Amino acid sequence: MTFAWLRSRVVRQGRIRTELGYGVFLSYSGDRDRQWLPHLQRTIERHSRPWYKPPRIRVFLDDSGVSIGPQLWGKIEAGLSRSEWLVVMASPEAKASSWVDREIEWWLENRSVDSILLVVSDGQLVWDEQRGDWNPELSTALPTRLSGRFEQQPVWKTVDLRHPDDGADLLPDVDGVALGIASVVRGLPEDDLKSEGMRDTRRNLRTARITAAILGLLLLITSTVSVIALVQRAEATRQRDHAVAQQLISQSSFLATRDPFGARLKALAAWRIDPTPESHLAVLNAAVNPETGLLAHSWPVGSVAYSPDGKTIASGGGDGIVRLWDAATQQKVGAPFIGHNQGISSVAFGPGGRTLASASADGTVRLWNVADRRQIGDALNPRSGAINSVAFSPDGGTLVTTGDHDSGAAVRMWDVAAHRQIGKPLGGRDSFVDGVAFSPDGRTFATADADGVQLWDARSRVPLSKKMGVHGISVTSVAFSKDGRTIAASDYDGSVRLWNTSTRKPAGKPFTAYGWSADSVAFSPDGTMFAAAYSNGSVQLWNVAQHSPVGAPFTGHTGPIEDMAFSPDGSTLATASNDTTVRLWNIRAQRQTGPSIDTGELSKTVVSPDGRTLAVTRSDVVRFWNVATRRQIGGPLDLGRTPTDPTITFSPDSRVIATANTYGTESGVRLWDLKTRRQTGKLPNDGRTSADYALAFSPDGKTLATSTRDSIRIWNLATHRQIGTVPGVTGWTLTFSPDGHTIAANTQDDTVALWDVATRRRIGETAPGHTAGIMAVAFSPDGKVIATASRDNTVRLWSVATRKQVGEPLTGHLSGVNSVAFSPNGKVLVSGSMDQTVRLWDVGTRRQIGEPLQGHSGAVAGAVFDPSGRTVISWGEDKTVRLWGVDATVDPVRSLCSWARGAFTAGRWRAYVPAGPAYRPLCPKSGAK
């Protein structure tokens, strides 16, 4: 009876609460306010009620993050209609927000302006007493619709910043803001409100003491069922944590391109809360995602630059404001630089990073002190129309600006210290110069215009020879290589052309892709590659030496890219677009590392177990390459005349190779010392011939298995004598289990047969599953699982003990799969396919990790991991061998923590993780670099 009455009271109280209105409606815009407003909401309500009663002031705050639409507006309009006060969080973001404008418009039509409170969270408000209204030039935080609405100066509150106890960055004084709002809404002085809170606290303490006594008695009564309750609570917690983790996994996938930082944090939080194969896959996908950050603006972004130490990013928007961002946390750093009255076209850090230059369509260049956020001297104003680009000399003493020709030539040089133009303008009156770049030694600089690229002597200020370019094709951007010997120029024809700075002649053929214009170009810091941005919003990395694309294009921008910048360490590329975002890309994540190895032949290829040597066979020779240096080692190994490519394999210690010639005078299996290139033995030939051989060393290197069309033969390498035969085998793939006790080979029935090495007896074979021939077989490092690659476009996993398929097939390849291999830790698979891609798979979930590795222009014949598991080596019919960086797959948690550099804090946990699970440190101290 008592419990039924209590339940009905709780239900009725909940129904009453849902029908109450709101005292305050919080209107805001921007990620900065989104992070601390939930805290403000809770604090306002806490100031207005004791813990056991409903709040006297309920606060409406939309924190859904849903884009504007009919469904969300209905929710917002309902909140507005049930609210008594509108609190506008005034900031430059709110001023530019159409959403905030719409909420204010509704309030002015349905409520009084006297019930609007203004809280300045960023920027400033300035009241002009003479006009009796706001000063429109100085009030950077005022939403436009509130101009001319107040009959007299209203009272507003500015958010103060304070140092937290842990000494971290300044945080908003939430308690002060909440007390001020609650005081106005309730009509009580702040001192009375504080006194009321103290009385409530004393009352709460008395109530708590009584409650504690009652609870002690209840605990004594219910002690007999406490164990069951604890078990049930633990299970409920486990189920809740699992549900939250699943929600985080889904959100991480959704945010991969919208908020890469949040996607990474959510995936890692899911793993910490509920370490399952699914959450581990989420961490893997987050770690290998090349898109690592998104800096959101309210206006198109015209320029981006890294500070020399790589810790800060500067971006300039169409609103004329320059913002600084912490490269690790991807949060705004300090106040923005405000001074231009039109869009920013170019930003550049000085050599020491203490000075920043910004150029604008308003025709001025401004220099800023990065430390105190103040402008240095007057603006540089050539009064010649819009400024398109700006560049510092390497010593920081000179600035070059380019622009249009409204009032003369478009290239000007400036003395930075004196704030004065150096000499007369450069160039003709008919030019429109779009880009500028200094050579690394500072002796020359290059400008880009409609006629090509012009080199200038920085000291004499005279052009050096004729322009470099193609007649009729406008150049859009120019960049110097690290050594200064090469210039890269992008053009409207969709090409990037390289020019030798000494000879002024083209350095090879143009780099051309897509059907779009190339809008921007930037060299990587090491000069081995450059990035080209295209008008469709994509970015392609190019290998300079091999004149080939590096991986697939970066896609994500929805508008043209206006500017790009590599981080000083070359690990990240920042791209600024008129889609109002700056995106950050990890150029090493699952990308090709270094140049490919051009074998020059369509050949059989094998990599030594130690990952150091590459062997390529062709007809009667074997050639070797050093994988690290990409250089051929010594001369070819002559195998004697044979009309077909020999089969080759390395011994486990990588010191011996075995070759099998199928026809000719030198047919049979021979052993070679890799160092001396001399034959050390030959296995007796019984006169049989076959179209194919397969070779496999046992893990201890003492035994060799050979396969022909009718049998498998096992050889003792010490005596060079056959010690066993497995008849009736027709497979062309052959591999030993890690313990050396079992041999696996494919069959004509598209299955894998297993044999016991000691008894040569058939153990069994995998169940039917593949619908086409099996091309490759691999054991997992623990020997419990077999992976098979097939021409039916799938990879499948099989239990060695039961020979049954493990889970569903691994699907994704668009054509037959030629190879499969496990990573050293057995957690990841790599496969190579005739669809010209290499793909990585998570063994635990049997799902693909990230996007395919693209770069081969022909079918991929093979792919393996190096012994560290951090590099994949692949080779294909395009006659190349390529190396791919997959470091993040070895330890994705460590990879994410290293990338975050301490940015995954407890505060970020509260911002991104739903309420419920207790905070868990996302990264160990050793991982937060």
Side-chain angles (χ1 to χ4, degrees):
M1 177 74 175
T2 301
F3 288 105
W5 174 82
L6 179 60
R7 185 168 59 252
S8 67
R9 292 283 295 178
V10 170
V11 171
R12 188 173 65 176
Q13 180 69 13
R15 186 181 303 116
I16 294 173
R17 288 291 307 278
T18 60
E19 295 171 357
L20 290 174
Y22 297 99
V24 171
F25 183 104
L26 292 180
S27 177
Y28 72 98
S29 178
D31 292 336
R32 180 191 62 257
D33 288 347
R34 184 188 300 276
Q35 293 180 8
W36 68 278
L37 285 184
H39 186 191
L40 176 64
Q41 177 189 27
R42 294 189 295 270
T43 306
I44 293 173
E45 294 182 345
R46 187 175 69 246
H47 274 307
S48 67
R49 53 122 173 105
W51 66 270
Y52 55 89
K53 289 184 179 181
R56 296 187 180 99
I57 305 173
R58 294 183 70 221
V59 179
F60 182 95
L61 171 65
D62 171 58
D63 58 354
S64 65
V66 181
S67 60
I68 298 174
Q71 183 178 1
L72 180 57
W73 176 245
K75 173 184 174 183
I76 297 300
E77 190 174 27
L80 288 166
S81 64
R82 293 162 60 190
S83 300
E84 297 176 2
W85 289 83
L86 176 66
V87 176
V88 179
M89 308 305 298
S91 66
E93 289 85 353
K95 179 178 180 180
S97 171
S98 60
W99 200 227
V100 172
D101 181 74
R102 190 173 179 182
E103 292 167 349
I104 294 174
E105 178 185 16
W106 187 97
W107 195 268
L108 294 174
E109 291 177 356
N110 297 276
R111 297 285 192 273
S112 170
V113 71
D114 295 331
S115 57
I116 296 179
L117 298 180
L118 294 174
V119 177
V120 182
S121 63
D122 194 14
Q124 63 180 358
L125 296 180
V126 177
W127 182 266
D128 190 333
E129 292 291 349
Q130 295 181 351
R131 298 177 54 184
D133 197 3
W134 304 103
N135 186 310
E137 288 77 23
L138 299 180
S139 298
T140 60
L142 180 71
T144 305
R145 195 171 292 276
L146 290 178
S147 296
R149 296 289 185 172
F150 296 93
E151 296 181 359
Q152 58 184 358
Q153 181 178 0
V155 177
W156 74 89
K157 189 173 185 66
T158 299
V159 178
D160 294 325
L161 299 178
R162 57 180 176 81
H163 282 284
D165 295 336
D166 59 4
D169 295 336
L170 293 173
L171 296 175
D173 181 11
V174 177
D175 286 335
V177 176
L179 192 63
I181 294 175
S183 172
V184 173
V185 173
R186 294 191 58 195
L188 293 175
E190 291 189 13
D191 290 340
D192 291 351
L193 204 57
K194 291 179 181 178
S195 300
E196 182 182 82
M198 295 177 62
R199 291 194 301 272
D200 287 341
T201 299
R202 297 190 191 99
R203 188 185 304 113
N204 294 346
L205 289 175
R206 291 194 299 270
T207 303
R209 294 190 186 100
I210 297 172
T211 303
I214 296 174
L215 289 177
L217 179 61
L218 291 175
L219 180 63
L220 180 63
I221 296 173
T222 60
S223 60
T224 56
V225 295
S226 61
V227 174
I228 297 176
L230 288 174
V231 171
Q232 291 176 339
R233 180 179 302 173
E235 176 61 19
T237 300
R238 188 196 67 79
Q239 293 181 6
R240 180 206 63 195
D241 287 354
H242 179 73
V244 171
Q246 292 298 310
Q247 180 182 354
L248 288 170
I249 291 171
S250 177
Q251 291 173 345
S252 177
S253 176
F254 177 77
L255 293 175
T257 60
R258 296 168 174 83
D259 179 10
F261 183 94
R264 292 185 162 204
L265 188 148
K266 285 177 179 288
L268 193 53
W271 168 252
R272 293 302 188 199
I273 293 171
D274 189 29
T276 63
E278 289 76 16
S279 59
H280 185 262
L281 176 62
V283 174
L284 271 171
N285 282 326
V288 303
N289 182 15
E291 191 163 358
T292 61
L294 187 147
L295 312 180
H297 292 63
S298 300
W299 292 72
V301 189
S303 187
V304 66
Y306 270 95
S307 61
D309 61 8
K311 295 181 179 180
T312 305
I313 299 172
S315 60
D319 53 1
I321 298 174
V322 178
R323 294 173 173 84
L324 296 186
W325 309 78
D326 185 296
T329 65
Q330 300 175 18
Q331 297 295 299
K332 294 175 185 175
V333 180
F337 299 126
I338 301 176
H340 292 288
N341 54 43
Q342 291 189 46
I344 306 296
S345 56
S346 182
V347 292
F349 280 96
R354 294 184 292 273
T355 304
L356 181 73
S358 61
S360 169
D362 65 7
T364 68
V365 175
R366 298 174 188 266
L367 299 178
W368 308 89
N369 184 304
V370 174
D372 62 16
R373 301 297 196 279
R374 293 186 178 181
Q375 185 173 317
I376 303 172
D378 295 330
L380 308 182
N381 188 358
R383 293 180 175 83
S384 60
I387 305 295
N388 295 329
S389 59
V390 62
F392 278 99
S393 61
D395 64 6
T398 305
L399 201 68
V400 174
T401 62
T402 68
D404 60 24
H405 52 83
D406 286 356
S407 299
V411 180
R412 297 171 188 265
M413 299 183 68
W414 304 81
D415 185 308
V416 174
H419 255 60
R420 292 180 180 177
Q421 184 173 316
I422 303 173
K424 296 181 179 180
L426 311 179
R429 291 178 174 271
D430 296 329
S431 61
F432 180 95
V433 183
D434 206 17
V436 62
F438 262 97
S439 63
D441 61 11
R443 296 179 181 178
T444 60
F445 64 89
T447 57
D449 60 32
D451 298 321
V453 176
Q454 178 67 66
L455 281 179
W456 303 82
D457 185 288
R459 173 174 290 184
S460 65
R461 302 170 54 249
V462 298
L464 300 175
S465 72
K466 297 180 180 180
K467 289 185 179 180
M468 298 173 288
V470 178
H471 180 70
I473 300 178
S474 296
V475 176
T476 58
S477 178
V478 64
F480 276 91
S481 62
K482 178 183 179 181
D483 58 12
R485 298 177 181 177
T486 308
I487 286 178
S490 60
D491 59 43
Y492 284 117
D493 191 40
S495 299
V496 174
R497 291 174 168 83
L498 302 186
W499 304 84
N500 185 296
T501 55
S502 298
T503 65
R504 319 295 200 266
K505 294 182 179 180
K509 297 180 180 179
F511 293 73
T512 304
Y514 315 112
W516 306 88
S517 66
D519 294 339
S520 184
V521 64
F523 268 103
S524 63
D526 61 8
T528 61
M529 69 175 75
F530 66 82
Y534 300 91
S535 56
N536 67 339
S538 66
V539 179
Q540 178 66 62
L541 299 179
W542 293 90
N543 183 288
V544 175
Q546 296 198 331
H547 203 282
S548 61
V550 180
F554 294 130
T555 58
H557 284 296
T558 58
I561 294 172
E562 303 295 337
D563 194 19
M564 296 186 298
F566 278 94
S567 61
D569 64 2
S571 65
T572 306
L573 178 69
T575 55
S577 170
N578 66 9
D579 67 2
T580 74
T581 67
V582 173
R583 292 181 182 266
L584 307 180
W585 309 91
N586 182 351
I587 66 171
R588 297 172 183 170
Q590 292 195 197
R591 317 288 293 185
Q592 188 176 328
T593 60
S596 58
I597 301 173
D598 186 0
T599 62
E601 298 176 298
L602 178 59
S603 315
K604 293 181 180 178
T605 304
V606 63
V607 178
S608 62
D610 62 10
R612 299 177 179 177
T613 307
L614 181 74
V616 179
T617 67
R618 177 65 176 175
S619 187
D620 55 357
V621 298
V622 182
R623 293 182 173 85
F624 301 92
W625 275 264
N626 182 299
V627 174
T629 65
R630 272 79 162 175
R631 293 182 178 179
Q632 195 167 335
I633 306 171
L637 176 63
D638 188 359
L639 302 179
R641 296 190 62 184
T642 174
T644 60
D645 292 341
T647 302
I648 185 172
T649 190
F650 280 91
S651 63
D653 61 7
S654 301
R655 297 179 179 178
V656 177
I657 59 171
T659 63
N661 290 6
T662 56
Y663 289 107
T665 58
E666 299 295 339
S667 65
V669 177
R670 290 183 287 172
L671 304 174
W672 308 80
D673 183 280
L674 184 60
K675 185 175 183 180
T676 65
R677 308 290 176 86
R678 292 183 179 180
Q679 184 174 320
T680 60
K682 182 177 182 181
L683 305 183
N685 185 359
D686 60 3
R688 297 182 181 182
T689 60
S690 174
D692 295 286
Y693 269 102
L695 305 176
F697 279 94
S698 62
D700 60 10
K702 298 179 179 180
T703 305
L704 182 73
T706 65
S707 173
T708 66
R709 285 186 174 179
D710 57 2
S711 66
I712 294 176
R713 288 181 284 177
I714 304 174
W715 306 81
N716 184 314
L717 294 180
T719 63
H720 293 177
R721 291 188 177 182
Q722 186 174 322
I723 58 176
T725 301
V726 179
V729 179
T730 58
W732 56 85
T733 65
L734 194 63
T735 184
F736 276 90
S737 61
D739 61 11
H741 296 162
T742 307
I743 290 178
N746 70 312
T747 72
Q748 288 184 331
D749 298 327
D750 304 329
T751 63
V752 175
L754 304 176
W755 285 269
D756 183 278
V757 174
T759 64
R760 271 84 70 189
R761 291 183 179 178
R762 188 163 177 155
I763 300 173
E765 64 181 49
T766 59
H770 285 295
T771 58
I774 295 175
M775 303 303 296
V777 178
F779 276 96
S780 62
D782 61 9
K784 296 180 179 180
V785 178
I786 287 177
T788 55
S790 170
R791 289 187 180 275
D792 65 5
N793 305 357
T794 70
V795 173
R796 298 173 190 254
L797 301 180
W798 310 86
S799 167
V800 172
T802 65
R803 273 84 67 190
K804 293 182 179 180
Q805 186 170 314
V806 180
E808 296 297 317
L810 284 62
T811 58
H813 281 297
L814 305 179
S815 190
V817 188
N818 291 327
S819 69
V820 66
F822 280 91
S823 63
N825 63 14
K827 296 180 180 180
V828 180
L829 275 173
V830 62
S831 60
S833 167
M834 289 185 283
D835 66 6
Q836 305 181 8
T837 68
V838 176
R839 298 176 191 249
L840 298 177
W841 309 87
D842 177 48
V843 174
T845 61
R846 296 171 298 283
R847 293 169 61 183
Q848 186 173 314
I849 301 171
E851 296 298 318
L853 310 183
Q854 300 184 55
H856 284 287
S857 58
V860 178
V864 296
F865 286 92
D866 76 342
S868 71
R870 302 181 185 279
T871 302
V872 165
I873 305 170
S874 64
W875 55 95
E877 293 182 1
D878 59 359
K879 305 177 185 178
T880 66
V881 177
R882 300 171 187 264
L883 277 64
W884 310 86
V886 295
D887 184 84
T889 64
V890 177
D891 189 346
V893 172
R894 180 182 179 85
S895 177
L896 289 182
C897 289
S898 177
W899 168 83
R901 290 181 288 178
F904 291 156
T905 61
R908 293 297 180 84
W909 173 287
R910 290 190 292 270
Y912 281 96
V913 178
Y919 167 70
R920 297 159 173 82
L922 293 175
C923 296
K925 291 184 179 180
S926 60
K929 298 180 180 179

